[in-house]
Amino acid sequence: MRTDILGVGFDPITLPDAVSAGAALARDSGFHYVVTPNPEIVQLADRDELFRSILYHADLVLADGIGIIHAAKLLGTPLPGRVTGIDFAAGLMQEMARSGDLKLFLLGAKPGVAELAAERLKATYQGLKIVGTHDGYFKEDEPVVEQIAQSGADVLFVCLGAPKQEKWIAAHAKDCGVHLAVGLGGVLDVFAGVVDRAPVVFQKAGMEWFYRLLKQPSRIGRMAKLPAFLGRALSVKMKRKHS
Ligand code: UDP
């Protein structure tokens, strides 16, 4: 059963279990997808019915962000912990490198970034099979879908930012012939070394968002959604208390 956080259901799952479940989905014959909502995405979904429905129908909904964990606690339905998209992706690639039976395609980010990420990832995860890359600034979907289908990939990382990547997955990923698509935001920038991830001390303190803000002050507008998100959680809690 999923844990509802302000209209988005999250799977109460730990990182190792999410990685195992993801690998099983990638080996399954059907088509599956995973989403990694943060508070900003929950806020977007509140105003976008199509987006909400895409999140609802995902095979796995992972809690990407300390804000989700705080809200879950506040609402009296705590989740086992944060499962960030980047940690999930890393765990999955480790398993793919170990087993050698799954092929990966990287889609998204500015031209050149996915290629650079692929080179670095192949060096980090020895044995990882990356069978193709494409940047995220294309006009026509069909040639991209065709390229992915031709590559024979089983797993597709879609890194176009939210809600674009989830909508792209829902509309096109099945036609790419992959078994698992994952919406992962800006992770290719991190894997390529274009943007660095917050040091572990920030991650452990639940302050990764603050580090990103320091590095990219232009994110302030987007981050302003966080207080609104927590405010909504608080107001639901208060209403429940008084009813
Ligand atoms: N992006 C893209 N195509 C677009 C818009 C964005 O490939 O049309 C990429 C962008 O280059 C970046 C990622 O999508 O690599 C979004 O990163 P962001 O940090 O905004 O995502 P978050 O991790 O916060 O969801």
Side-chain angles (χ1 to χ4, degrees), residues 6 18 20 71 91 113 137 140 175:
L6 305 178
S20 302
V113 173
Y137 294 85
E140 284 177 43
D175 296 336

Side-chain angles (χ1 to χ4, degrees), residues 31 33 50 54 141 145 163-176 181:
F31 168 69
Y33 66 95
L50 170 66
I54 292 170
D141 299 308
V145 170
K164 189 171 180 180
Q165 62 200 9
E166 289 79 10
K167 288 182 177 173
W168 199 89
I169 288 173
H172 305 290
K174 198 174 177 184
D175 296 336
C176 296

